[in-house]
Amino acid sequence: MLIIGEKINTTKKSINAAVEAKDAEAIIKEAKDQLDAGADVIDVNTGTRIKSEVEDMKWLVNTIQSAVDCRLCIDSPNPLAIKAGLELCKQKPIVNSITGEKDRIDAIMPMVKEFGTSVVALTMDEVGMPTTGKDRHRIATKIVEMIADYNIAMDDIYFDALIQPVGSNPDQGIEVLKGIWSIRNSFPEAHIVCGLSNISYGLPERKLLNRTFLPMAMSAGLDSAIMDPTDKKIMTTVLASRAILAQDEYCLNYISSWREGKLEA
């Protein structure tokens, strides 16, 4: 299970303030805290800072890499900001993201090829957000066909089945699970990622919903998540789920995490 730490995102007031003030110490602490808690990759998102996003992306990537050695997920709707981040990455990054829209693929995939990155593929297209598992599978298949000429290994594709809030879309928990299952069966060498906290948006006790949905998604084929690794209970859920799903031989990671005091029931 690949954990992508979600917290360096300028939608968060504290991060936006740190970027505005160029407070390197605050950003470095956030990155280190996520890695110490179990993140494998750090997401870097400056999407709210439209006027200064390119320069802010450069500053964040340089700041994080000055203190930690890890992969980054360069996350932006702006191709210029993505390119600025990729040019500075020291380890193989993940680009977030392409869609099933030709304009987006044409803007992003040449950079994916040039820099040898992995890429998140959102299962949406010109029609909009998917509503069924079949929609998600159809768009994933469409994306694979559209990017075939770039010769990107399936292992470098992270399909996002696009979780939608169950508070406003009651059937979407079931439909995203169907989408994950069908994408996993059709493209077993690819990865499947999600923005986990989307499932609980607008509802009380969001962390409870997030950690309840996660093992369901993992059992359907999810193998990556953009989430908060500093939430000890949800990281415990990851470890327990991997043990039950035969992803942790003899439960060794689960046992060692228990011995290190990392489990919280």
Side-chain angles (χ1 to χ4, degrees):
M1 184 73 175
L2 187 81
I3 306 299
I4 303 173
E6 68 181 5
K7 300 183 74 176
I8 299 182
N9 186 321
T10 56
T11 59
K12 292 173 61 67
K13 290 182 180 179
S14 61
I15 297 299
N16 189 61
V19 173
E20 181 70 27
K22 296 297 182 284
D23 184 351
E25 184 177 348
I27 297 299
I28 289 169
K29 182 180 186 304
E30 190 65 75
K32 286 183 174 180
D33 285 350
Q34 291 186 90
L35 292 170
D36 289 346
D40 304 293
V41 180
I42 299 295
D43 192 71
V44 185
N45 188 322
T46 54
T48 62
R49 297 180 61 80
I50 297 172
K51 293 182 179 180
S52 60
E53 186 182 6
V54 171
E55 292 306 314
D56 291 336
M57 178 64 78
K58 291 179 182 178
W59 180 79
L60 272 177
V61 169
N62 281 329
T63 298
I64 294 166
Q65 292 186 144
S66 72
V68 300
D69 183 22
C70 71
R71 295 179 71 192
L72 302 179
C73 180
I74 305 300
D75 189 349
S76 175
N78 182 349
L80 295 177
I82 288 176
K83 185 175 183 180
L86 294 181
E87 288 175 337
L88 298 172
C89 285
K90 296 178 180 178
Q91 290 198 33
K92 182 175 183 175
I94 302 173
V95 171
N96 194 357
S97 56
I98 59 170
T99 67
E101 299 163 287
K102 184 177 185 301
D103 288 350
R104 185 67 179 175
I105 286 175
D106 289 347
I108 302 300
M109 285 305 298
M111 289 188 283
V112 171
K113 184 69 174 178
E114 177 185 355
F115 293 97
T117 79
S118 299
V119 63
V120 173
L122 306 180
T123 54
M124 61 181 290
D125 59 11
E126 295 86 352
V127 177
M129 292 286 285
T131 58
T132 67
K134 288 182 178 179
D135 287 336
R136 291 166 167 89
H137 181 265
R138 172 185 60 80
I139 298 169
T141 302
K142 173 183 173 181
I143 290 171
V144 170
E145 293 170 352
M146 292 176 74
I147 66 174
D149 288 345
Y150 292 97
N151 295 314
I152 303 300
M154 291 301 296
D155 184 53
D156 277 323
I157 300 174
Y158 289 73
F159 289 110
D160 188 333
L162 290 176
I163 293 173
Q164 298 179 45
V166 292
S168 55
N169 303 277
D171 64 341
Q172 285 304 294
I174 293 294
E175 291 300 330
V176 77
L177 292 175
K178 290 178 180 177
I180 291 170
W181 180 266
S182 59
I183 293 169
R184 168 59 63 222
N185 285 339
S186 291
F187 306 107
E189 295 179 359
H191 299 282
I192 302 178
V193 68
C194 74
L196 182 62
S197 61
N198 291 339
I199 196 71
S200 61
Y201 184 79
L203 293 171
E205 299 294 346
R206 293 188 64 186
K207 291 182 178 181
L208 172 60
L209 290 166
N210 297 344
R211 66 177 181 264
T212 300
F213 183 73
L214 179 60
M216 298 179 186
M218 290 175 67
S219 68
L222 187 83
D223 64 2
S224 317
I226 302 171
M227 54 183 267
D228 178 5
T230 65
D231 179 345
K232 195 170 182 179
K233 285 189 176 181
I234 203 161
M235 292 300 287
T236 297
T237 298
V238 171
L239 289 163
S241 298
R242 291 190 71 236
I244 291 168
L245 293 170
Q247 297 173 6
D248 178 7
E249 191 172 16
Y250 300 110
C251 302
L252 293 178
N253 284 332
Y254 182 84
I255 293 167
S256 63
S257 295
W258 170 71
R259 287 173 175 163
E260 294 166 11
K262 294 181 178 180
L263 302 185
E264 185 170 321

